[in-house]
Amino acid sequence: MGSAVSETGLFSANTDPDPNPDEPVQPWQYDRSRAPVAVKVLVAGGFGVGKTTFVGSVSEIRPLRTEAVMTEAAAPTDDLSATPDKHTTTVAMDFGRVTLDDDLVLYVYGTPGQERFWFMWDDLVRGAVGGIVLADTRRLRDCFPALDYFESCGLPYAVAVNHFEGTPSYAPDDVREALTIPARVPVVIMDARRRVTVLESLMTLVGHALDSTPE
């Protein structure tokens, strides 16, 4: 008796005594109990804080982006003082995928930062197990809407401080105090351009979400 895709461990034994390797695997041959668990997480925060970079750095697939070129019409509402080289903005979402383990895959959704696109958050949050609030210490007030939103939803979240070059470094406890967030909420210092620190942030969130799940 042969086994379809036996080396992956994802498919159960084939009941056909003479399986044809050219035939597609049938639904009844798929062992769902050994399939990876797919988990949805959100990345939110203020305008220009690095959400698109965060998703792009960690995604193992080509990330989906919904960016539009910024125009002069947005100048009165989009503050570029901290990010003068920014020329595009997310108008719907960013999307990426990352495999944390053989049995755990994260679907990472980046939310738009500007207030005029916040209505998208209600759709993106559905089915999410947790959220990352990305923060810039130069503009901490910009992450308050995301903090308030996750608190009001009861969604577990972690704060990831995206440390920009040339800016002062702060300890996680200093950021926690400045944001007045509860001790149960993890705070990490990271760099959205470095995949390893983004992965650490996501793993911290997943662990926190699991700890927050009622038994």
Side-chain angles (χ1 to χ4, degrees):
M1 183 179 293
S3 175
V5 202
S6 58
E7 49 285 335
T8 67
L10 296 180
F11 298 98
S12 59
N14 191 333
T15 57
D16 187 345
D18 185 21
N20 184 349
D22 295 327
E23 290 293 327
V25 175
Q26 299 302 313
W28 59 82
Q29 296 172 304
Y30 185 65
D31 185 356
R32 295 181 185 276
S33 67
R34 302 180 66 179
V37 175
V39 174
K40 178 181 181 181
V41 299
L42 262 60
V43 181
F47 169 73
V49 76
K51 298 180 295 295
T52 298
T53 302
F54 183 104
V55 176
S57 294
V58 78
S59 182
E60 61 197 16
I61 62 172
R62 182 176 181 180
L64 170 65
R65 294 172 176 167
T66 57
E67 291 190 302
V69 176
M70 301 179 64
T71 65
E72 293 183 2
T77 57
D78 297 337
D79 182 8
L80 294 175
S81 58
T83 54
D85 297 327
K86 185 174 178 61
H87 302 294
T88 62
T89 185
T90 300
V91 296
M93 67 174 184
D94 298 306
F95 171 76
R97 185 190 72 196
V98 56
T99 301
L100 288 186
D101 204 344
D102 291 341
D103 58 354
L104 181 60
V105 175
L106 295 189
Y107 293 133
V108 185
Y109 290 77
T111 66
Q114 295 99 316
E115 183 176 356
R116 60 186 179 276
F117 299 126
W118 286 354
F119 68 91
M120 293 289 301
W121 292 17
D122 289 336
D123 290 327
L124 293 175
V125 77
R126 293 173 185 168
V129 300
I132 292 279
V133 176
L134 208 58
D136 179 351
T137 55
R138 298 168 297 178
R139 302 173 289 140
L140 281 180
R141 66 181 182 276
D142 290 353
C143 70
F144 284 135
L147 293 173
D148 293 341
Y149 185 81
F150 288 154
E151 285 283 357
S152 65
C153 292
L155 190 72
Y157 66 91
V159 174
V161 177
N162 187 16
H163 181 67
F164 289 82
E165 292 181 1
T167 62
S169 298
Y170 296 93
D173 286 343
D174 293 334
V175 176
R176 182 188 306 282
E177 182 178 356
L179 295 176
T180 62
I181 56 177
R184 58 179 168 80
V185 176
V187 178
V188 298
I189 311 298
M190 47 80 69
D191 184 337
R193 300 168 302 177
R194 296 182 59 207
R195 189 174 193 269
V196 63
T197 66
V198 176
L199 281 171
E200 290 171 352
S201 302
L202 290 171
M203 292 175 68
T204 298
L205 169 64
V206 171
H208 175 56
L210 289 174
D211 292 341
S212 303
T213 302
E215 295 183 359

